[in-house]
Amino acid sequence: MLQQHPIRKIRRIVDEALVEMAPWFDEMYATGGRPSIPPEMLIRASLLQIFFTIRSERQLVERIDYDLLFRWFVGLGIDEAVWNHSTFSKNRDRLMAHQVDEKLFDTVKKQAYAKKLMSRDHFTVDGTLLDACAGIKSFKPKEEHSDDDDSRSSGENFHGEKRSNETHESTTDPEARLFRKGKGKEAKLCFMGHLLTENRNGLIVDAEASLAGTSKEWDSSISLLANQSARPGQTVGADKGYDTNEFVEGCRELRVTPHVAAKTVGSKADGRTTSTDGYLISQRKRKRVEECFGWMKAYGLMHKLRHRGIEKVDWLFRFTAAAYNITRMKTLIA
């Protein structure tokens, strides 16, 4: 039974990715002081944290200490000491400085392309809100009133007060933005996560986090599409929120046919496009991107962010996207 454990298939994918990343790891070791913890181990441990939905690094280190499966996956011997949980915080900047998230994502994607699991022609794009690691009461005026007793200024009583991102910011995470997904929805401090998926198996082709904002969905989506190699006949499916002049024209400039869900009134979608069989297929396939968001939030710890600042959020979002692809490939390869 142990030979059939799903983690073995996952480790084979991770091993192949880390072997390809080996030349970059040589640059990441510290040249002085105490010996560095191998970045390979930190990456493996961080992946385990996502796969098993472990909320904190402290709990992760405790699990590695007593769980032989975790030790085997990370590469620690049965008697080797486990590093302190603070190691993750100290070394995350080192991993970020060397774009480990992008390198891991690209090497895993390369495996998927080699096994013909991903399409290069037909895509889906979508975005979601990521709850920031900041409470709504931290959203205060940028220029505080001189009277410290002013309850409005302190954020304790903000009812009836007009607040916007131009005049207010969070004292916990200044880069978080107050945003609501739609009419009647609650305004929250958040960031945005954007995914570009392919339509063959629903694997993630590219991922990016951004500041929250209406236009950010279209801008980031065009940016993700622009990063892909151009091929004749490429299409991209999207929901009605992308039926805008900015997104549709941006896709056409990239020579990608926009298969956006057409609005009832004022649609920018071309009638010659919406009447094709390919458009109908894209509209069926585009819903699979929600599976990616669902997994990343339910299992990948992206439902409520644990880090502050767009740089860390973007790094973790792309790293989690790579973890999702690994879990999907484990099933597809079998």
Side-chain angles (χ1 to χ4, degrees), residues 33-181:
R34 291 181 296 178
S36 300
I37 295 174
E40 300 95 322
M41 287 189 175
L42 293 176
I43 293 172
R44 291 176 184 274
S46 297
L47 286 172
L48 285 175
Q49 184 176 14
I50 295 172
F51 294 146
F52 290 87
T53 320
I54 301 174
R55 186 66 190 171
S56 70
E57 282 82 8
R58 186 186 295 272
Q59 292 176 340
L60 174 62
V61 170
E62 290 177 357
R63 182 76 178 268
I64 295 174
D65 191 31
Y66 70 78
D67 195 320
L68 293 180
L69 183 147
F70 274 50
R71 281 181 171 269
W72 168 80
F73 189 90
V74 171
L76 284 173
I78 191 171
D79 295 324
E80 288 187 71
V82 184
W83 55 85
N84 190 275
H85 65 88
S86 62
T87 299
F88 285 90
S89 300
K90 294 179 180 178
N91 286 275
R92 187 172 288 112
D93 291 340
R94 184 160 57 108
L95 299 179
M96 290 174 60
H98 290 81
Q99 292 84 44
V100 167
D101 59 324
E102 296 180 11
K103 293 180 174 66
L104 178 65
F105 186 89
D106 289 340
T107 52
V108 171
K109 187 169 66 171
K110 186 176 179 180
Q111 291 184 50
Y113 278 131
K115 293 176 172 60
K116 298 182 179 180
L117 300 177
M118 300 179 76
S119 168
R120 298 180 185 269
D121 300 313
H122 305 293
F123 307 106
T124 296
V125 70
D126 202 0
T128 190
L129 294 182
L130 307 172
D131 286 1
C133 184
I136 193 67
K137 287 187 178 182
S138 71
F139 197 60
K140 301 177 182 179
K142 294 180 180 179
E143 296 182 1
E144 292 285 353
H145 297 292
S146 58
D147 185 2
D148 294 336
D149 295 330
D150 190 341
S151 60
R152 287 182 182 272
S153 174
S154 66
E156 295 176 0
N157 181 15
F158 48 78
H159 297 288
E161 178 185 0
K162 291 184 178 180
R163 297 179 297 168
S164 70
N165 292 312
E166 287 72 26
T167 59
H168 292 61
E169 70 178 12
S170 171
T171 56
T172 305
D173 187 351
E175 294 187 89
R177 295 291 181 267
L178 190 67
F179 188 75
R180 69 175 78 242
K181 189 66 174 178

Side-chain angles (χ1 to χ4, degrees), residues 237-280:
D239 59 31
K240 289 184 179 180
Y242 292 83
D243 189 5
T244 64
N245 187 66
E246 293 88 344
F247 180 74
V248 171
E249 291 302 321
C251 290
R252 289 171 179 165
E253 289 179 7
L254 297 173
R255 300 184 182 277
V256 178
T257 304
H259 285 177
V260 298
K263 295 178 181 176
T264 306
V265 179
S267 175
K268 302 298 180 182
D270 194 319
R272 294 171 295 180
T273 300
T274 57
S275 61
T276 62
D277 292 337
Y279 175 83
L280 298 177

Side-chain angles (χ1 to χ4, degrees), residues 123 196 220-228 236 247 251 254 256:
F123 307 106
L196 180 69
S220 293
S221 299
I222 294 297
S223 176
L224 295 179
L225 284 170
N227 291 337
Q228 310 310 310
V236 58
F247 180 74
C251 290
L254 297 173
V256 178

